[in-house]
């Protein structure tokens, strides 16, 4: 081929080539418009518009969404009304899309210098999580750490020793040291979650091991005796405070992971400081375990009548899902109103399909007998055969 005199391009070929590229350009723009319109109809970032989950709940379920999906993701009204931890009178169960419903908070949470330091925004992160933005989006920044971090004490000393104050970033909390948290039961008015459980020399020291004060108080050794020796090896404690249950089980060679929220206290840091494992998630999230794998699940107070009944029903079946056949579910001091216990909560728990090992009722009097509140403590076992 003569490089200096290349062949001339056919003008008809050039015309059709230009028409073809114009067609491709128009097609791609139309396709982009279609995708963006469809996406925005499901994920409206306008914070002043109606919450997408609320719109689903208000209207008839879309025909292409399964009714059980709509039932789970729709807002669930809190039985006792507005809750300051949630900043709402409802719970929004997470399936990821709820992040887009709080565009202003999400924008603040995701604004940072890539490869730099994260904002000091633990309160905002937990606010998003409790509002249904769970799991939280990953970020490409480094979270703050204590300026003069103190390494944890060695095991087994750490199990019953208050961690050092400089193992925590305190900016998100009312108290700025563990002494304040230990003394807040006497010095602070109002409610704080697990108000006395940072005091490891107080009531925590005898939990689940002391002589029972009522039929509602089961001991750990009593519960472990309900299964074949040595078969309770791994477990989960839902909303386990400062993880004393996990510590007691560790002393019996059982590994327990504790779920927690940092509700005006560094629960996760305290749990880790004791030498057991914290898991940071709310009661709304699907448990991060495979089916039929956990030997025991325990929950004290957290799963109770304050949870919307439908959400509670989903949670109970999720616990049943992860417990292995022959495994145990210890529902410890579940509370609700007397009428609701008989008419709603006890039948709901029974409907899941557990075998009853222990099933005990008692009066809850700490807020006054006039409220007619009732406790249920139950030790339940997943059937070995026909557990599906």
């Amino acid at each position: 081929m003569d490089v200096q005199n290349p062949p001339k391009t056919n003008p008809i070929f050039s015309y059709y080539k230009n028409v073809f590229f114009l067609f491709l350009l128009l097609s791609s723009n139309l396709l982009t418009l279609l995708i963006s319109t469809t996406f925005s109809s499901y994920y409206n970032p306008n914070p002043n518009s109606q919450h997408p989950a609320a719109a689903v709940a208000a209207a008839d379920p879309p025909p292409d969404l399964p009714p059980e999906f709509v039932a789970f993701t729709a807002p669930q009204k809190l039985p006792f009304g507005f809750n300051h931890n949630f900043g709402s009178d409802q719970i929004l169960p997470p399936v990821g899309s709820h992040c887009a419903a709080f565009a202003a908070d999400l924008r603040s949470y995701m604004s940072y210098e890539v490869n730099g330091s994260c904002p000091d925004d633990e309160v905002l992160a937990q606010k998003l999580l409790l509002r249904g933005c769970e799991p939280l989006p990953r970020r490409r920044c480094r979270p703050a750490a204590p300026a003069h971090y103190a390494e944890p004490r060695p095991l087994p000393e750490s199990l019953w020793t208050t961690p050092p104050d400089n193992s925590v970033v305190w900016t998100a909390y009312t108290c700025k040291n563990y002494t304040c948290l230990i003394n807040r039961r006497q010095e602070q008015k109002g409610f704080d979650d697990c108000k006395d459980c940072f005091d490891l020399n107080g009531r925590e020291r005898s939990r689940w091991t002391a002589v029972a004060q009522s039929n509602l108080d089961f001991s750990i050794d009593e519960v472990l005796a309900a299964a074949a020796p040595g078969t309770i090896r791994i477990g989960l404690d839902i909303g386990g405070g400062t993880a004393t249950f996990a510590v007691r089980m560790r002393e019996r060679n059982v590994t327990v992971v504790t779920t927690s929220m940092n509700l005006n206290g560094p629960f996760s840091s305290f749990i880790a400081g004791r030498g057991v494992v914290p898991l940071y998630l709310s009661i709304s999230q699907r448990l991060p375990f495979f089916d039929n794998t956990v030997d025991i699940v325990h929950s004290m107070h957290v799963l109770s009548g304050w949870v919307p009944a439908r959400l509670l029903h989903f949670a109970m079946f999720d616990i049943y899902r992860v417990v292995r056949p022959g495994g145990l579910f210890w529902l410890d001091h579940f509370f609700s109103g007397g009428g609701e216990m008989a008419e709603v909560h006890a039948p709901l728990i029974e409907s899941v399909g557990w075998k009853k090992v222990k099933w005990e009722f008692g009066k809850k009097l700490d807020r006054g007998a006039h409220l007619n509140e009732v406790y249920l403590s139950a030790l339940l076992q997943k059937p070995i055969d026909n557990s599906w």
Side-chain angles (χ1 to χ4, degrees):
M1 178 182 293
D2 187 351
V3 177
Q4 294 182 345
N5 298 291
K8 295 182 179 180
T9 304
N10 189 326
I12 297 177
F13 175 78
S14 297
Y15 170 78
Y16 282 110
K17 182 172 70 172
N18 291 337
V19 170
F20 175 72
F21 281 117
L22 178 62
F23 173 76
L24 283 180
L25 179 63
L26 290 173
S27 299
S28 63
N29 287 340
L30 286 172
L31 181 60
T32 301
L33 177 63
L34 176 63
I35 292 173
S36 63
T37 304
T38 304
F39 182 83
S40 64
S41 69
Y42 284 98
Y43 300 94
N44 186 351
N46 182 2
N48 297 318
S49 64
Q50 187 181 23
H51 189 288
V56 170
D60 292 332
D64 56 335
L65 292 179
E68 276 292 272
F69 178 83
V70 174
F72 176 71
T73 57
Q76 308 291 328
K77 283 287 186 181
L78 289 165
F80 299 148
F82 184 87
N83 184 296
H84 75 278
N85 291 324
F86 291 86
S88 174
D89 63 349
Q90 60 188 7
I91 292 179
L92 299 172
V95 182
S97 63
H98 289 316
C99 292
F102 304 100
D105 287 342
L106 183 63
R107 189 177 298 110
S108 177
Y109 179 70
M110 296 302 291
S111 297
Y112 52 85
E113 180 185 350
V114 175
N115 295 332
S117 297
C118 297
D120 185 0
D121 57 1
E122 181 181 341
V123 172
L124 174 62
Q126 185 161 269
K127 179 181 177 182
L128 276 167
L129 190 150
L130 287 172
R131 286 185 169 184
C133 184
E134 187 175 24
L136 291 172
R138 284 177 167 170
R139 301 200 290 187
R140 294 182 292 169
C141 57
R142 301 177 189 88
H148 304 286
Y149 180 76
E151 293 194 5
R153 291 178 172 84
L155 286 166
E157 176 191 348
S158 64
L159 295 175
W160 291 103
T161 304
T162 301
D165 289 337
N166 51 346
S167 63
V168 177
V169 176
W170 291 94
T171 52
Y173 313 116
T174 302
C175 281
K176 305 303 179 185
N177 53 60
Y178 282 124
T179 300
C180 171
L181 286 170
I182 291 169
N183 294 332
R184 70 179 178 178
R185 185 180 185 187
Q186 292 79 26
E187 297 177 359
Q188 296 180 13
K189 296 182 180 179
F191 173 79
D192 270 303
D193 189 60
C194 199
K195 200 168 188 178
D196 62 345
C197 62
F198 286 95
D199 184 3
L200 298 184
N201 292 313
R203 189 168 58 163
E204 290 297 293
R205 180 68 69 169
S206 60
R207 282 192 191 275
W208 302 292
T209 60
V211 176
Q213 300 296 310
S214 76
N215 61 322
L216 298 166
D217 300 326
F218 307 163
S219 72
I220 285 178
D221 293 329
E222 175 186 7
V223 168
L224 292 178
T231 60
I232 303 300
R233 307 149 302 152
I234 56 174
L236 170 69
D237 191 15
I238 297 175
T242 54
T244 292
F245 179 83
V247 167
R248 287 298 188 194
M249 294 294 272
R250 190 186 189 284
E251 292 171 341
R252 291 157 175 78
N253 296 318
V254 180
T255 300
V256 168
V257 175
T258 304
T259 73
S260 71
M261 298 297 296
N262 294 328
L263 299 175
N264 202 18
F267 286 88
S268 296
S269 298
F270 192 90
I271 291 168
R274 296 184 75 178
V276 287
V277 181
L279 195 62
Y280 187 56
L281 77 166
S282 76
I283 62 164
S284 301
Q285 184 173 328
R286 188 178 192 264
L287 296 174
F289 303 102
F290 193 65
D291 304 0
N292 304 310
T293 54
V294 177
D295 297 320
I296 187 169
V297 172
H298 172 263
S299 176
M300 184 174 186
H301 294 312
V302 173
L303 291 179
S304 281
W306 72 273
V307 181
R310 180 179 288 168
L311 179 59
L312 185 65
H313 204 202
F314 276 104
M316 290 293 179
F317 269 99
D318 202 33
I319 293 168
Y320 189 87
R321 175 184 66 82
V322 302
V323 171
R324 64 165 175 82
L328 302 173
F329 175 34
W330 181 358
L331 189 58
D332 197 351
H333 285 75
F334 178 104
F335 65 85
S336 71
E340 289 182 327
M341 180 68 80
E343 296 172 11
V344 178
H345 294 127
L348 182 153
I349 297 164
E350 291 176 305
S351 74
V352 177
W354 301 100
K355 172 187 173 184
K356 294 180 182 177
V357 179
K358 297 196 70 173
W359 184 265
E360 301 285 348
F361 292 99
K363 292 184 177 181
K364 182 178 182 291
L365 302 173
D366 58 318
R367 299 202 304 160
H370 64 285
L371 293 177
N372 191 29
E373 292 183 318
V374 178
Y375 277 128
L376 165 65
S377 282
L379 180 58
L380 308 168
Q381 187 172 38
K382 187 169 179 175
I384 291 181
D385 298 317
N386 299 321
S387 57
W388 51 91

